[in-house]
Amino acid sequence: MKGVNHFLVVFAFLALASTLASASDPSSLMDFCVALNDFVNGKFCKDPKLATADDFFFSGLDKAGNTSNAVGSKVTPVNADQIPGLNTLGISLVRTDYAPYGGLNPPHSHPRGTEILVVIKGELYVGFVTSNPDNRFFTKVLKTGDVFVFPVGLIHFQLNIGKTDAIAFAGLSSQNPGVIIIANAVFDSNPPINPGVLTKAFKLEKKVAEYLQTQF
């Protein structure tokens, strides 16, 4: 009986370790699972016999995004919402356009996906920061054809330091990597975070924290 209990403990530990080691979307048990509009942890699947080529197709990444906004950038996503056939396949894609002279994809993170970015046009200053306690900053200036990786969950950004528009494409290791824009999450939460929390966390005067909350 003791041996059986030992086996069960080892089995449970290995099962837990296997679960924790999974760092991307779970593998599909079918060739594909074309998404329907109903949500579970992901999406329900269409009957494979009813799938068509359009379920695996998206058109429009040749079109520039509108960068006339406060940060001077536009992200165009291609995930399971745009291509239902991506459901359960564990990948997605984005195109990002950056206005000249400082177009910024502001500091943000993807809680469920690693990002690999390639510059198609222009010159970008990019970087990411590691987790506490080190908070190491890794940074590069990328030119056309350069590639950079942003590990899953880490805060990162891209800034156009050139005089012309810049374009980058990025692949992500999740059909729904999520995005948390740091400034928006902190200063534009719903409902608002108590300014006293922001004052202490960011070492700001209360009136500065309250002002920042009005800017989003």
Side-chain angles (χ1 to χ4, degrees), residues 22-204:
S22 178
S24 60
D25 294 353
S27 298
S28 176
L29 299 177
M30 304 184 294
D31 289 340
F32 55 82
C33 173
V34 176
L36 297 175
N37 289 328
D38 301 300
F39 276 89
V40 283
N41 185 21
K43 296 174 182 284
F44 287 112
C45 304
K46 177 189 286 189
D47 184 338
K49 294 183 178 65
L50 302 178
T52 70
D54 285 340
D55 290 321
F56 303 90
F57 173 77
F58 176 85
S59 179
L61 283 189
D62 59 320
K63 298 178 176 63
N66 183 2
T67 59
S68 298
N69 53 57
V71 294
S73 70
K74 174 63 176 178
V75 177
T76 303
V78 182
N79 53 42
D81 289 330
Q82 287 75 38
I83 301 181
L86 279 178
N87 188 42
T88 75
L89 298 186
I91 58 170
S92 57
L93 178 72
V94 299
R95 167 181 172 147
T96 307
D97 292 272
Y98 311 82
Y101 300 104
L104 173 69
N105 190 6
H108 63 282
S109 69
H110 302 293
R112 294 179 293 276
T114 291
E115 176 179 347
I116 181 166
L117 176 140
V118 57
V119 178
I120 303 302
K121 175 186 176 184
E123 191 172 10
L124 297 177
Y125 168 59
V126 308
F128 68 85
V129 179
T130 64
S131 54
N132 295 345
D134 294 336
N135 295 325
R136 292 185 63 195
F137 179 43
F138 292 80
T139 183
K140 275 283 190 181
V141 172
L142 306 182
K143 298 182 179 180
T144 300
D146 289 344
V147 176
F148 199 76
V149 173
F150 304 106
V152 58
L154 298 186
I155 295 172
H156 60 282
F157 67 88
Q158 303 104 37
L159 175 71
N160 184 2
I161 58 175
K163 300 177 181 179
T164 64
D165 294 339
I167 304 169
F169 285 84
L172 296 112
S173 62
S174 171
Q175 73 178 57
N176 181 23
V179 59
I180 301 172
I181 301 174
I182 307 307
N184 296 64
V186 172
F187 295 107
D188 193 32
S189 64
N190 183 21
I193 297 173
N194 188 306
V197 174
L198 303 178
T199 297
K200 191 165 188 178
F202 290 94
K203 299 179 174 59
L204 301 172

